Amino acid sequence: MSRFMPVQHVNVLGKRKRGSSNATSSALPQPVSIPPTQNFNGNDGLWSTFPLRIGHPFQDALLLPSTASPNVWVSQSDTACPDGIPVPPATGHPSCADSRGRLFEANASLTWTPNNVYTLGVEANLGMDSAPTYGYDDIVIGMAGSGGPKAEHQVIADNADPRYWVGVLGLNPQPINFTDFVSPQPSLIQTLKTTNKIPSISYGYTAGAYYRNNHALGSLTLGGYDTGHFIQNEVSIPLGADTSRDLVASIQDIKTNSSTDSLLPGGSIYSFVDSTISWIYLPIDACRAFEKAFGLVWNPDWELYLVNDTLHDSLIQSQPSVTFTVGSQQSGGQTVDIELPYAAFDLNISYPFINSSIPPYLSTARYYPLKRAANDTQYTLGRAFLQEAYLITDYEHRNFSLSSVNFTQYPQSNLETIYPSGYEPQGSDGSSLGAGAIAGIVVGIVTLIAILAALVYFIRRYNQMKRQADASRIATRPTSGEDSDEYYNVDRKSGIALPPVRHPGRHYAEADTTVPNEMMVPGKYGTAYGDKPGYYGSQEIYGAEVAKELPSSEATWEADSSVRYELPGSDAPIALSEKLGGARHSGQSHARISSQDSAPPTGRSSERHSEELERHTSLERPL
């Protein structure tokens, strides 16, 4: 039997800075969010699971993400549930197969290729290594119809070990070697990146919390992370050099709200973030500080901190929380506090971790997920810690981060892409517009369109009101008599003046057309011509060679037959009206007056002459 060993990878620390690349944003796929199932499975607690389909035809499996494993583990039907195996009662699943997240039947898959038996090479430092049967098959992440990414010919381990009660979805990118380093098999996440299913070798994950918000589900995003599930901070931690323990963070302190004493009396430690297991492994002096603070008792037979009913009632009443201060340095620098309530430690455990034939003869028991570490290689922050922490791992730029989970009742999902190393997103160097600039342009265009629409509306509204006012004015004019449109030959619908009409019985002055020096000035009734709008009239009487003005108050006459008289433009209507007995004029007055026709005869007064002139002279109102 050959031992499985991951390929050693030279550590190159990098920042999440974007470099130049020939790739284009259109060719870069989006992050993939894997919806969790509604199931909580496990024999050491209740954990939110994620769906996977294996083989052809597809077979469903419910798995737990593993930050340590590079491949998928499942349980085969002929080995995982032998007769008589106890089923964890806390899961509520009626059968062993359902409790273990479904069983895989390799012989029923047309695409299954068996390999051999090898050791996992995972959790060996904790004494939990195993030797499953390996093979290859196709994988689709997500439930049927979800459109999840597909990876062909992937390494799959049939791991019937009951300590790993539920299968594993490996997130570690290291290649898999069965016999040597000559023919490494790509990990699942590496295959997804190579086949352009995800943008980068990265992920964001939180385990979910059964005790929160009526069973808060987990969250898993490949190629990025979901900002709706955590509270952001500025702490970035470089990946470690040891590829089997690369997610190593510094725990600078551990405190509780029930005591002023530190729960990490020996000082800061470096701990591996590993979601494959549930426990938190701490130094023995730290475990004793927990025992003192919470009344915990270590069971050496089962190597567990069991919680009896009396202690459980006391802890439920006091609700002690535990806060981990985490950073990248042994001391100082930027840190983040991850607070875990007592409910995060209030778990149940069953077979095979406890045995009903050993005192206290229980098939299931409450326990506190804290373990005594034998040495610093066992310091681990397991799945219990990730109930309250969101992990972002970026293998492209060799760093990761931990943040407090946002337990909003219905968090708004917002996926962010982690770009591959050397990739330059459009808009980051000024060569093209970024999302912010594009959004600004769109807002500007929308605003401009709104302004133009409002302007068009007001112009049309103004014109409509003007037409209504004109129609109303035309409708109220007299229909008969000397002030009517008919009398002055006005089109009633449009208000436009037509050629003048000569009425029988009227005397009209002869128009002088020899000299066209008439000024057409718009005049409205109420000013010079009364109160009828829309009529136009000249305010001059035509002259010939010499035009002399008549004063507006009194006409002056000269007995010269060669001279014609002109009323001033501004005063003509009023002056003429006064001289002719107040007759109203509304239009052009083309009256020719000469000394032969109009000079008063000898012995006659000016007043008598004016009366005769009025009788024989009629001024026409053109329309």
Side-chain angles (χ1 to χ4, degrees), residues 12 99 216 222 259 295 357 391 442 516 554:
V12 180
S99 176
L222 303 180
S259 174
S357 62
L391 170 67
V442 171
E554 181 178 357

Side-chain angles (χ1 to χ4, degrees), residues 245-593:
R245 287 175 62 85
D246 48 7
L247 302 179
V248 176
S250 171
I251 304 176
Q252 295 189 7
D253 199 6
I254 305 175
K255 294 181 178 180
T256 177
N257 60 350
S258 63
S259 174
T260 57
D261 297 334
S262 173
L263 299 181
L264 195 62
S268 63
I269 62 172
Y270 287 96
S271 180
F272 179 44
V273 182
D274 184 3
S275 64
T276 316
I277 60 171
S278 302
W279 295 281
I280 297 174
Y281 281 79
L282 294 177
I284 292 179
D285 60 347
C287 291
R288 288 174 177 160
F290 272 80
E291 294 170 8
K292 180 181 177 181
F294 307 132
L296 302 176
V297 177
W298 177 254
N299 185 308
D301 294 328
W302 291 353
E303 295 185 343
L304 294 171
Y305 282 105
L306 299 179
V307 178
N308 59 33
D309 291 342
T310 302
L311 179 59
H312 181 258
D313 292 343
S314 175
L315 293 174
I316 287 292
Q317 185 174 1
S318 61
Q319 287 295 318
S321 64
V322 176
T323 300
F324 292 78
T325 300
V326 180
S328 61
Q329 304 176 19
Q330 188 172 8
S331 62
Q334 291 183 324
T335 60
V336 58
D337 289 340
I338 308 295
E339 182 179 3
L340 279 69
Y342 171 65
F345 298 97
D346 186 11
L347 303 177
N348 285 273
I349 196 167
S350 56
Y351 174 85
F353 300 108
I354 59 175
N355 192 329
S356 59
S357 62
I358 301 175
Y361 307 107
L362 298 173
S363 58
T364 184
R366 295 189 185 93
Y367 82 111
Y368 198 94
L370 177 65
K371 283 270 194 176
R372 292 179 173 182
N375 52 59
D376 59 1
T377 65
Q378 292 187 342
Y379 298 158
T380 304
L381 293 171
R383 199 183 304 120
F385 175 78
L386 290 174
Q387 294 175 109
E388 297 286 331
Y390 190 93
L391 170 67
I392 300 175
T393 305
D394 181 359
Y395 282 97
E396 300 283 348
H397 306 92
R398 305 290 302 169
N399 58 57
F400 72 99
S401 64
L402 291 165
S403 305
S404 295
V405 174
N406 175 20
F407 281 110
T408 303
Q409 181 70 35
Y410 300 104
Q412 183 66 41
S413 179
N414 182 34
L415 300 186
E416 290 285 344
T417 300
I418 295 179
Y419 296 111
S421 177
Y423 181 83
E424 184 71 33
Q426 288 189 359
S428 62
D429 59 354
S431 59
S432 56
L433 295 177
I438 294 174
I441 292 173
V442 171
V443 171
I445 292 174
V446 171
T447 303
L448 179 60
I449 292 173
I451 293 173
L452 292 176
L455 182 61
V456 170
Y457 170 79
F458 285 118
I459 291 175
R460 296 185 62 183
R461 180 63 176 166
Y462 171 78
N463 291 335
Q464 181 182 9
M465 294 176 65
K466 186 174 182 300
R467 287 194 299 270
Q468 291 175 351
D470 291 343
S472 176
R473 185 169 61 250
I474 292 172
T476 57
R477 286 205 293 266
T479 59
S480 62
E482 293 191 4
D483 290 335
S484 67
D485 296 329
E486 180 182 1
Y487 186 85
Y488 295 109
N489 203 20
V490 175
D491 181 77
R492 185 165 187 81
K493 181 177 294 186
S494 65
I496 299 175
L498 301 175
V501 176
R502 293 181 179 266
H503 300 278
R506 286 277 187 173
H507 298 282
Y508 297 90
E510 181 182 357
D512 183 0
T513 58
T514 58
V515 182
N517 49 359
E518 157 186 35
M519 179 183 296
M520 297 298 294
V521 179
K524 293 191 176 182
Y525 261 33
T527 56
Y529 299 106
D531 58 0
K532 181 178 290 294
Y535 294 91
Y536 294 81
S538 70
Q539 298 179 358
E540 295 180 340
I541 295 180
Y542 278 43
E545 298 177 1
V546 179
K548 293 188 177 182
E549 297 181 356
L550 293 178
S552 61
S553 61
E554 181 178 357
T556 302
W557 306 90
E558 296 184 12
D560 183 356
S561 60
S562 63
V563 178
R564 287 164 173 76
Y565 297 91
E566 179 181 17
L567 293 179
S570 60
D571 300 330
I574 300 175
L576 189 57
S577 174
E578 292 175 354
K579 294 300 178 180
L580 302 181
R584 298 184 344 191
H585 300 274
S586 154
Q588 293 177 328
S589 298
H590 295 181
R592 241 170 86 181
I593 303 175

Side-chain angles (χ1 to χ4, degrees), residues 86-105:
V87 177
T91 63
H93 297 292
S95 66
C96 174
D98 289 336
S99 176
R100 301 200 69 164
R102 316 283 173 82
L103 303 179
F104 176 64
E105 296 184 13

